[in-house]
Amino acid sequence: MEKEYKILLTEDDENLGMLLREYLEAKGLKTDLMPDGEEGYKAFMANKYDICILDVMMPKKDGFSLAKDIRMVNTEVPIIFLTAKSLKEDIFQGFKIGADDYLTKPFSMEELLFRIEAILRRTKGGNAAQEFYQLGKYKFDTQKQQLIEGDNTIKLTTKESELLKLLCTNANKVLERNFALKTIWVDDNYFNARSMDVYITKLRKHLKDEPSVEIINVHGKGYKLVM
């Protein structure tokens, strides 16, 4: 990562909080973990953060109240809510306060990372993730959305690029269908699933001249980029 981003994470579940902090820091994101809303507010006032991840249900000061306090002094910093609640009223309340995103527990840490990266790319104009991947003889430029081989360039569509990046990030591991659909298409309905299959076919065609790289179908689960 070219720039070190700093995250405020407030989570009263000690085990979950530590897991999230360790995972995010392993991905190059400096993370301050606070156990409640009051400590979270003190940390926010004493430091400069690029993004805030706030658990909704916390002692002393809940996530919504903390977000309101943060918005009183900073209207720009991105906020992601983590919550066990899935009621539309709670989700709407979060967005009314000024949330940029909302994750309902349980969620995968990979999904949280992708959402953080998307927000940082949008708000910072930077690159919170790896910019290039080597796929055999091809270099995949995630910013320009290109597969490059010497003087030859294959221009990818946005969906092709997003899907290939997700596969690269999870190289040699199963990329679950539902996770990919919700990350890129937001909804994992039947039509989006068929659309993803079409893009997988297109990516295979782009990479067909590189025998060391293969996208395989893991029946009933998803896809795996083998390289």
Side-chain angles (χ1 to χ4, degrees):
M1 186 176 299
E2 296 178 358
K3 176 184 175 182
E4 183 177 73
Y5 292 96
K6 193 170 184 180
I7 293 177
L8 171 62
L9 170 64
T10 62
E11 172 59 65
D12 66 321
D13 183 324
E14 183 178 354
N15 291 331
L16 176 59
M18 291 178 64
L19 283 172
L20 289 173
R21 181 179 63 186
E22 289 174 5
Y23 176 79
L24 294 173
E25 294 207 328
K27 298 299 181 179
L29 296 163
K30 171 64 178 173
T31 305
D32 289 345
L33 173 62
M34 298 298 149
D36 58 62
E38 287 188 358
E39 292 299 316
Y41 185 68
K42 291 177 184 177
F44 183 82
M45 296 302 292
N47 297 277
K48 181 176 176 60
Y49 293 103
D50 296 292
I51 192 166
C52 298
I53 304 173
L54 313 179
D55 182 32
V56 171
M57 301 297 290
M58 292 188 295
K60 298 183 180 180
K61 185 191 292 286
D62 64 62
F64 290 149
S65 298
L66 174 56
K68 288 178 182 178
D69 290 344
I70 288 173
R71 282 286 177 255
M72 291 290 290
V73 295
N74 188 317
T75 60
E76 301 296 328
V77 65
I79 295 174
I80 298 176
F81 283 119
L82 307 179
T83 180
K85 294 183 176 182
S86 59
L87 295 176
K88 287 185 178 180
E89 292 79 6
D90 295 306
I91 296 174
F92 291 157
Q93 182 180 353
F95 284 117
K96 284 179 180 177
I97 292 170
D100 292 81
D101 212 337
Y102 205 107
L103 273 176
T104 303
K105 299 176 183 177
F107 56 85
S108 71
M109 289 187 283
E110 289 85 358
E111 182 178 4
L112 174 60
L113 178 64
F114 276 109
R115 295 192 183 215
I116 291 170
E117 290 175 345
I119 290 172
L120 290 176
R121 282 196 301 272
R122 185 174 73 244
T123 60
K124 300 295 181 180
N127 178 29
Q130 187 171 333
E131 186 173 352
F132 297 101
Y133 292 92
Q134 196 66 41
L135 304 175
K137 64 183 180 181
Y138 294 106
K139 181 169 75 171
F140 173 35
D141 186 330
T142 64
Q143 298 300 299
K144 294 182 179 179
Q145 299 181 180
Q146 295 176 342
L147 280 173
I148 304 165
E149 180 202 357
D151 295 330
N152 299 319
T153 298
I154 300 172
K155 179 64 177 175
L156 304 176
T157 66
T158 298
K159 283 287 191 290
E160 286 172 343
S161 182
E162 290 178 345
L163 185 53
L164 183 55
K165 181 181 177 183
L166 209 52
L167 286 163
C168 289
T169 305
N170 293 275
N172 300 309
K173 297 184 293 184
V174 177
L175 173 62
E176 296 183 0
R177 288 178 64 85
N178 287 352
F179 172 64
L181 286 166
K182 289 180 179 179
T183 300
I184 298 174
W185 280 268
V186 181
D187 195 323
D188 60 351
N189 63 47
Y190 173 82
F191 298 103
N192 287 338
R194 296 286 72 77
S195 176
M196 184 172 76
D197 292 338
V198 170
Y199 282 107
I200 287 289
T201 299
K202 290 181 178 180
L203 289 175
R204 284 172 172 159
K205 288 181 179 178
H206 292 322
L207 297 167
K208 63 181 174 57
D209 292 332
E210 178 46 70
S212 70
V213 178
E214 183 181 8
I215 301 173
I216 64 173
N217 185 14
V218 181
H219 294 289
K221 293 184 179 180
Y223 294 100
K224 180 189 289 188
L225 177 65
V226 180
M227 53 187 287

